[in-house]
Amino acid sequence: MKRIITHALTVAAITVAIGSTQVHAAGIDTTPSLKRLTWTWDGLFGRYDQKQLQRGWTVYSEVCAACHAVKYLRYRDLEGIGLTKAQTEELAAAAEEIQDGFDDAGEPFFRTRIPSDPIQQPYANEEQAKAANGGVAPPDLSMITKARKRGPDYVFGIQTGYPSDFQGEPPEWWIKQFADPKTGEYDFPADKYFNNFFAGHAISMPPQYVDGVVYEDGSSPTQEQGLIDVITFLNWASDPNLEARKTMGLWVLVYLGVLAGFLYALKTYIWRDVEH
Amino acid sequence: MSTYTPPQWNNKYVSWFDKRLPAITLMHKHLIVYPTPRNINYWWCFGVASAMALVIMLLTGIFLAMYYVADTRLAFDSVERIMRDVNYGWLLRYLHMNGASLFFILVYIHMFRGLYFGSFKAPREVLWWIGVTILFLMIMTAFMGYVLPWGNMSFWGATVITSLATAIPGIGQPLVEWIWGAHSVDQPTLNRFFAWHYLFPIIIAALAFVHMWALHEVKSGNPLGIDIKGPRDTIPFHPYHTVKDLYFLTIVLIFFSYFVFFSPNFFAEADNYVPANPLLTPPHIVPEWYFLPFYAILRAVDSKLGGVLLMLASILVLYIMPYLDRSPVRSGSFRPLFRWAFWIFVADCLFLGWLGAQLAEEPYITLIRIATVIYFAYFFVVLPLLNKYEKPDPLPDSISEPVTSRA
Ligand code: HEM
């Protein structure tokens, strides 16, 4: 057994050595790298903070909801961030009416929303969303932290990754890398914003400011804190069962750990007389 | 063994039933008194662990299928609804999703065990062949399952892999369209993949029983690789292996639970949480991790047909293992040179897996070629040469000899 392990380790070390030289050879890039943030829900004991989720919802509904839907959420789901049933009813009723089939005359029938209805979306359809945003529809945000690599860090990176507030203005390092060395000319779409972390760097979303949002207690967050709050909300929207999952996981691990201990003892006992 | 004498069942109902269908005697013979080598180690527990993974996949899969909708417009949403609105739907889905990875980890270790200890050698060739067939079916099942959530990686993965069949000269294109049931991966494809994804695991389960049938005919091998010579070499399955297996399965479940409950998307690709979009090719199409070594070999040569044939060969070669490694010594523990070759081979498989996840550009292409050559050289050059020139260490006389002399 020991011999097997030494062999395995030697060979593994050689593989890693070959692998790592490759990584270095390929890694020349001046793009800023995505910051690794810590989130309240990280780790075995990670949880959401309900107050923070509610602040995040406020940021979402006052800023992002102008362009982005959270289509997998219904008003009643907001009880998951600590709103009361009455509050979800109130929010639903305050939203735009929703079409619910047709009336007796065959005309579209509209009614007030109730908590089991989806949260109001900014656009009636994909085409309208595109037309209002320079030809690109803002993606649904109720899955966004799952649908991007290192989702929460990425969303933060996107929101803080604008070197300029204006369209068609790429930063120095990018121009150095991509401009024609002779003429100094470069090719960046005039109607797009530059973003450090967006694939291809040309993004249709203008920089967003969340420090103007007013929370329930009357305070306003810093830009950074507002973003952290809204990303926390978006992560909950992507993964609303996270807390239930981690709680169950801890019990499962405790149960299996104790069971493994007993079974190991039983195994040792049963095998006590067997030479093997 | 022919020495088995069925017990007398005292309970009159048991006895009545057993006379009409000897199921109870069968279980007594195969789960209680079944003789196993006394020296088998924990590497021999990966078979039963694979069986547990299969059961987890079948159970969670059946329940997921009660909510899943195989319609290109609804499939993605139906999976998301399972995660959000079905009671414990997130648990079902994460168990099934990570269960596939668990299944492959266990089966791959199970197979490497076989390669190291010579489990494919006489008299276990048929047992091994059934195993390789199971691996083939597992690969197809996992591939089709990955298509079902109809994420963007599902769609593009399905398109890339099924299109490989176009490499077959002449009938390639019509064959692919016949598989698709359309002119591209579309509604008919999704529909039939769902049907096959439900069917194949049932075939796997049936083959697993045949696997056990063959096993119980020839009995388990052991780390010394020598035959059972008498009752001194064996212990009954129960209670010795029942308790050992239960302990081992619990450890496997702890490992599995960590991923299911604390890092359920560890093995997942973010792009598969984006709905399928035929107009939006993901920047980097990669298969699930368990296909990566094969995916690397696929890209080892410039010709598409060549790549497909190499990839098939990399699995098919396992069928002829009994004829490639003809050393009469089964266990690698008594073969000093083989041991080195084996661990280099294992490292090469892992390296191929890493390469499979890289972009198809230099220096990776060259490295893939080198690793592919090493992969096939192991089977066709190294093993035959070793059989000829290696001098194995002396084998003990019996399984019980080294253990009793150590005591
Ligand atoms: C559904 C997947 C599979 C299940 C449930 C399964 C189950 C088992 C079990 C319970 C055993 C006896 C315990 C052990 O030796 O680990 C076994 C033995 C064996 N399996 Fe599998 N197996 C599977 C796949 C495979 C595959 C893919 C291969 C090889 C290609 C394979 C080859 C073997 C061999 C050669 C043995 C006998 C080993 C020895 O005793 O030396 N099995 N299998």
Side-chain angles (χ1 to χ4, degrees):
Chain A
M1 187 66 201
K2 222 183 191 161
R3 232 173 2 190
I4 296 183
I5 292 174
T6 354
H7 269 74
L9 288 181
T10 325
V11 178
I14 297 169
T15 324
V16 171
I18 300 173
S20 60
T21 48
Q22 289 319 311
V23 175
H24 288 302
I28 338 154
D29 197 344
T30 40
T31 318
S33 55
L34 212 52
K35 216 161 93 184
R36 198 169 282 282
L37 300 165
T38 49
W39 302 97
T40 61
W41 62 85
D42 287 343
L44 247 53
F45 301 95
R47 288 289 180 276
Y48 293 123
D49 167 358
Q50 295 243 312
K51 284 277 171 285
Q52 186 176 27
L53 286 174
Q54 291 170 29
R55 294 199 301 270
W57 158 251
T58 307
V59 178
Y60 164 76
S61 49
E62 292 193 8
V63 183
C64 320
C67 303
H68 293 279
V70 279
K71 70 172 176 182
Y72 291 108
L73 293 185
R74 304 185 173 135
Y75 286 98
R76 63 157 188 237
D77 294 329
L78 294 175
E79 286 181 38
I81 64 168
L83 300 196
T84 60
K85 190 152 184 291
Q87 280 173 311
T88 65
E89 278 166 2
E90 219 172 281
L91 281 171
E96 231 169 56
E97 291 197 320
I98 191 170
Q99 188 191 342
D100 187 358
F102 300 89
D103 65 15
D104 294 343
E107 296 297 323
F109 171 70
F110 288 92
R111 60 162 176 76
T112 315
R113 286 185 203 229
I114 52 173
S116 57
D117 285 321
I119 288 179
Q120 184 186 325
Q121 304 191 0
Y123 302 108
N125 50 55
E126 178 100 2
E127 284 65 28
Q128 197 186 50
K130 279 186 186 164
N133 288 282
V136 187
D140 179 75
L141 288 189
S142 53
M143 296 272 280
I144 198 76
T145 63
K146 273 197 291 190
R148 298 290 180 277
K149 267 207 180 72
R150 289 177 56 197
D153 290 352
Y154 173 79
V155 178
F156 188 85
I158 286 281
Q159 292 299 353
T160 53
Y162 291 89
S164 157
D165 275 1
F166 302 100
Q167 288 152 307
E169 283 193 356
E172 280 304 316
W173 65 262
W174 186 87
I175 296 174
K176 254 194 215 131
Q177 214 175 327
F178 293 101
D180 186 317
K182 283 194 213 100
T183 60
E185 275 174 42
Y186 55 83
D187 194 15
F188 189 85
D191 59 341
K192 303 265 168 165
Y193 299 87
F194 188 94
N195 190 291
N196 288 340
F197 301 108
F198 192 64
H201 297 301
I203 194 168
S204 300
M205 170 167 63
Q208 298 299 317
Y209 289 96
V210 298
D211 48 358
V213 173
V214 181
Y215 287 151
E216 209 184 1
D217 62 4
S219 70
S220 285
T222 60
Q223 169 75 359
E224 186 156 316
Q225 189 55 48
L227 288 175
I228 303 251
D229 290 350
V230 74
I231 293 166
T232 302
F233 169 75
L234 292 178
N235 197 70
W236 169 84
S238 291
D239 197 1
N241 294 304
L242 179 142
E243 295 194 330
R245 171 158 61 72
K246 291 198 173 183
T247 307
M248 186 191 280
L250 287 175
W251 285 113
V252 168
L253 286 187
V254 168
Y255 176 84
L256 289 175
V258 172
L259 182 64
F262 279 128
L263 284 171
Y264 184 73
L266 186 61
K267 192 231 151 205
T268 322
Y269 174 74
I270 288 177
W271 284 70
R272 68 194 178 283
D273 297 332
V274 184
E275 306 294 350
H276 60 281
Chain B
M1 288 197 174
S2 48
T3 52
Y4 177 72
T5 28
Q8 286 299 314
W9 298 109
N10 294 330
N11 181 302
K12 68 178 184 198
Y13 300 106
V14 169
S15 157
W16 181 91
F17 187 84
D18 201 64
K19 280 204 188 83
R20 284 150 184 86
L21 177 73
I24 302 183
T25 296
L26 187 86
M27 286 193 279
H28 176 261
K29 180 175 172 192
H30 289 286
L31 294 175
I32 309 276
V33 297
Y34 173 69
T36 49
R38 59 194 300 151
N39 63 334
I40 60 182
N41 56 31
Y42 279 106
W43 296 117
W44 266 258
C45 288
F46 282 87
V48 69
S50 308
M52 176 180 70
L54 178 62
V55 171
I56 292 176
M57 295 309 278
L58 285 166
L59 288 180
T60 52
I62 287 168
F63 283 94
L64 285 173
M66 295 181 191
Y67 298 93
Y68 171 76
V69 184
D71 179 315
T72 55
R73 291 161 302 178
L74 302 172
F76 187 88
D77 282 359
S78 76
V79 172
E80 207 46 37
R81 284 287 153 231
I82 290 173
M83 301 268 282
R84 289 162 191 267
D85 295 345
V86 174
N87 291 335
Y88 297 105
W90 56 269
L91 181 57
L92 281 179
R93 206 252 171 154
Y94 282 150
L95 283 170
H96 200 75
M97 209 167 103
N98 290 283
S101 286
L102 177 77
F103 200 1
F104 275 94
I105 292 173
L106 296 170
V107 165
Y108 282 155
I109 296 178
H110 185 64
M111 293 175 65
F112 278 121
R113 184 282 314 264
L115 291 174
Y116 182 83
F117 291 107
S119 303
F120 50 84
K121 293 181 187 180
R124 298 188 182 79
E125 302 95 322
V126 173
L127 174 57
W128 173 259
W129 290 333
I130 297 163
V132 181
T133 311
I134 289 178
L135 177 71
F136 255 112
L137 290 173
M138 275 175 68
I139 289 176
M140 296 212 263
T141 309
F143 167 66
M144 290 184 296
Y146 194 62
V147 177
L148 300 184
W150 209 243
N152 214 22
M153 208 52 105
S154 301
F155 178 84
W156 286 97
T159 303
V160 169
I161 300 301
T162 51
S163 298
L164 292 177
T166 58
I168 305 170
I171 59 157
Q173 190 61 32
L175 178 68
V176 171
E177 293 188 4
W178 181 69
I179 293 170
W180 286 338
H183 294 295
S184 63
V185 172
D186 208 332
Q187 177 59 43
T189 326
L190 179 60
N191 228 137
R192 62 190 56 184
F193 273 29
F194 184 38
W196 294 335
H197 186 69
Y198 210 129
L199 173 66
F200 278 38
I202 296 169
I203 303 177
I204 294 177
L207 281 181
F209 277 99
V210 183
H211 195 65
M212 289 304 93
W213 183 9
L215 174 76
H216 281 227
E217 191 56 34
V218 297
K219 306 286 181 287
S220 278
N222 65 80
L224 296 175
I226 54 181
D227 292 327
I228 297 173
K229 300 230 166 79
R232 264 173 18 105
D233 291 346
T234 65
I235 43 176
F237 191 78
H238 182 75
Y240 297 104
H241 284 287
T242 37
V243 71
K244 186 177 172 184
D245 285 348
L246 280 176
Y247 167 64
F248 184 76
L249 293 182
T250 312
I251 299 296
V252 171
L253 283 178
I254 289 176
F255 168 80
F256 182 47
S257 304
Y258 174 77
F259 288 100
V260 170
F261 292 102
F262 298 101
S263 202
N265 289 313
F266 180 83
F267 296 106
E269 201 53 57
D271 270 316
N272 225 31
Y273 283 113
V274 176
N277 185 347
L279 301 177
L280 179 81
T281 320
H284 185 186
I285 302 177
V286 278
E288 293 278 87
W289 70 265
Y290 36 79
F291 296 144
L292 289 173
F294 306 115
Y295 195 58
I297 293 177
L298 175 69
R299 297 181 296 175
V301 285
D302 272 334
S303 120
K304 191 169 175 181
L305 182 61
V308 173
L309 291 178
L310 270 186
M311 184 173 74
L312 279 177
S314 69
I315 306 175
L316 286 174
V317 64
L318 294 170
Y319 278 114
I320 54 170
M321 268 313 279
Y323 307 104
L324 293 174
D325 182 354
R326 311 187 71 119
S327 167
V329 175
R330 293 196 191 100
S331 170
S333 304
F334 297 95
R335 302 181 59 193
L337 294 179
F338 166 85
R339 253 193 330 262
W340 273 101
F342 175 81
W343 288 110
I344 291 173
F345 174 72
V346 173
D348 188 57
C349 292
L350 296 176
F351 189 43
L352 275 170
W354 181 77
L355 286 168
Q358 310 306 315
L359 293 171
E361 60 188 29
E362 287 300 345
Y364 307 118
I365 304 272
T366 308
L367 290 172
I368 284 178
R369 293 196 171 140
I370 296 171
T372 305
V373 169
I374 296 176
Y375 183 90
F376 285 103
Y378 175 75
F379 292 102
F380 292 109
V381 181
V382 178
L383 289 180
L385 282 183
L386 280 181
N387 302 337
K388 228 172 167 173
Y389 297 109
E390 183 182 48
K391 201 175 155 304
D393 297 339
L395 292 172
D397 284 337
S398 76
I399 293 175
S400 46
E401 182 207 72
V403 276
T404 40
S405 63
R406 192 178 347 116

